[in-house]
Amino acid sequence: MICRHFLTLNDLSGAELKQLIQRAIELKKMQHERVIFEPLKNRVLGMIFDKSSTRTRISFETGMAHFGGSSIFLSPRDTQLGRGEPIADSARVISRMVDCIMIRTHSHDNITQFAKNSQVPVINALTDDFHPCQLLADMQTFWEHRGDIQGKRIVWIGDGNNMCHSYINAACLLDFELVVACPEGYEPDALLVEKAGSRLTVLNDAKIAAKDADLVVTDVWASMGQEEEQKKRELAFNGYQVNEELMSLAASDALFMHCLPAHRGEEVSAGVIDHPDSVVWDEAENRLHAQKALLEFLLA
Ligand code: CP
Ligand code: NVA
């Protein structure tokens, strides 16, 4: 059976991504008006989490409940996956029982291998390399506050990590200018940078990057799995905090986003994230609506 997976944003065309953003905005309005809409009645989402999560788990579980379906939380502690059952075998078995599988794991190869052996759509809920679900929410949030992102200047400050890679994919699909500022040695993947071409600039200076930004985005300096590098990274990322001074270099109406969880006093100052204009709480809520749009797109 041929089915569509969502392993990176590139599994969508630019037009499909825009359609999903608009659908997420509609679904959000319906949810706020308490409209009952159950296109996934009796459908089941399997959710495999090899790493911790607050937003991703709650948004997928709640989304499936709103849609009339259900979800199963699967952790390696309680499944045979955690005891070494091969990924391909697990994919064959689980996908004969559920209608869609969401995976948060370490290596991106794990999810690619899982998808190859799955009869049902597989959704990437974060790997070491990409976090496409978060980008659906971020792009929805930008659209709600500022309209079309095409041609806008988006500035990524910090680690060239999974979130940064997904921003690079989004820049190519939605045609915005992306400036990445990171310390030497923490740049995004060279192949992705090369493919992005002139849309992307990588700098080692946060202040130059922030100039005239329409959106400033950051993320933790040490991602899940990099906890033992925390101290080394705090030193390396000195000068890469998004604070009031850095935001003053951006456009006067610049938005600030962070996928959360955030570390105040490290990658972002409390003054920026807790400012009344901060859109990070909309961004977090939009995980729910954007993923409902994705589930409907893949399954309904
Ligand atoms: N932003 C995000 O993915 O949050 P969780 O790790 O809480 O799911
Ligand atoms: N880059 C972070 C994102 C968390 C949502 C991580 O991978 O831990």
Side-chain angles (χ1 to χ4, degrees):
M1 183 177 116
I2 295 170
C3 62
R4 287 191 73 165
H5 302 297
F6 183 64
L7 306 187
T8 74
L9 274 186
N10 289 338
D11 286 321
L12 300 173
S13 66
E16 285 169 337
L17 176 53
K18 285 182 198 158
Q19 180 195 321
L20 277 190
I21 295 165
Q22 295 312 319
R23 184 61 178 153
I25 292 170
E26 277 171 27
L27 289 168
K28 181 176 187 174
K29 187 167 177 284
M30 284 161 66
Q31 188 58 41
H32 286 184
E33 289 170 357
R34 303 247 172 250
V35 175
I36 294 183
F37 176 58
E38 298 183 324
L40 300 185
K41 232 177 165 47
N42 297 321
R43 311 291 279 279
V44 179
L45 173 72
M47 307 195 306
I48 299 173
F49 279 98
D50 287 340
K51 292 177 175 176
S52 307
S53 166
T54 295
R55 282 143 286 267
T56 305
R57 177 178 177 181
I58 296 171
S59 52
F60 270 111
E61 282 198 27
T62 304
M64 283 304 289
H66 286 169
F67 273 172
S70 59
S71 48
I72 306 174
F73 176 77
L74 300 160
S75 99
R77 256 202 312 271
D78 319 308
T79 60
Q80 301 291 6
L81 263 169
R83 295 181 59 248
E85 184 167 11
I87 289 175
D89 292 359
S90 303
R92 290 183 187 111
V93 172
I94 298 170
S95 73
R96 280 174 180 237
M97 299 181 188
V98 303
D99 301 283
C100 186
I101 299 160
M102 182 239 80
I103 305 179
R104 170 168 284 196
T105 188
H106 301 272
S107 152
H108 194 76
D109 288 345
N110 287 349
I111 202 168
T112 310
Q113 209 194 330
F114 198 105
K116 263 198 201 115
N117 292 283
S118 170
Q119 298 183 13
V120 300
V122 173
I123 295 173
N124 179 356
L126 183 149
T127 61
D128 291 346
D129 294 340
F130 296 100
H131 194 4
C133 288
Q134 183 67 51
L135 261 288
L136 298 179
D138 286 24
M139 295 300 100
Q140 177 189 347
T141 308
F142 190 90
W143 184 275
E144 287 173 340
H145 287 271
R146 295 287 180 268
D148 198 345
I149 200 166
Q150 184 176 19
K152 295 285 200 279
R153 181 177 164 94
I154 311 308
V155 175
W156 174 271
I157 307 279
D159 193 14
N161 64 8
N162 44 10
M163 276 296 299
C164 179
H165 290 162
S166 287
Y167 262 91
I168 295 174
N169 288 344
C172 298
L173 286 167
L174 298 177
D175 193 23
F176 58 79
E177 180 193 355
L178 180 64
V179 182
V180 170
C182 45
E184 259 182 72
Y186 295 93
E187 289 91 352
D189 177 75
L191 197 64
L192 276 178
V193 172
E194 190 190 315
K195 277 196 194 147
S198 60
R199 274 193 203 82
L200 172 67
T201 310
V202 181
L203 304 172
N204 298 121
D205 189 317
K207 286 186 179 156
I208 295 175
K211 205 174 163 332
D212 299 329
D214 295 300
L215 165 65
V216 177
V217 198
T218 192
D219 186 12
V220 291
W221 290 339
S223 284
M224 288 181 276
Q226 298 172 333
E227 288 80 4
E228 73 289 353
E229 294 177 35
Q230 177 68 29
K231 283 281 162 267
K232 179 180 129 197
R233 284 172 172 263
E234 277 173 28
L235 291 176
F237 286 86
N238 184 24
Y240 287 84
Q241 184 187 78
V242 180
N243 51 32
E244 292 83 336
E245 189 194 343
L246 199 75
M247 287 303 288
S248 74
L249 303 170
S252 55
D253 65 344
L255 296 175
F256 169 74
M257 290 192 203
H258 189 310
C259 64
L260 306 177
H263 296 155
R264 288 168 179 78
E266 289 182 32
E267 76 276 4
V268 63
S269 68
V272 167
I273 196 168
D274 296 325
H275 191 275
D277 291 345
S278 176
V279 296
V280 297
W281 315 117
D282 291 345
E283 182 189 2
E285 178 191 332
N286 285 341
R287 292 295 303 279
L288 169 65
H289 311 296
Q291 286 156 204
K292 283 171 75 178
L294 176 69
L295 288 166
E296 182 187 45
F297 175 81
L298 293 173
L299 289 177

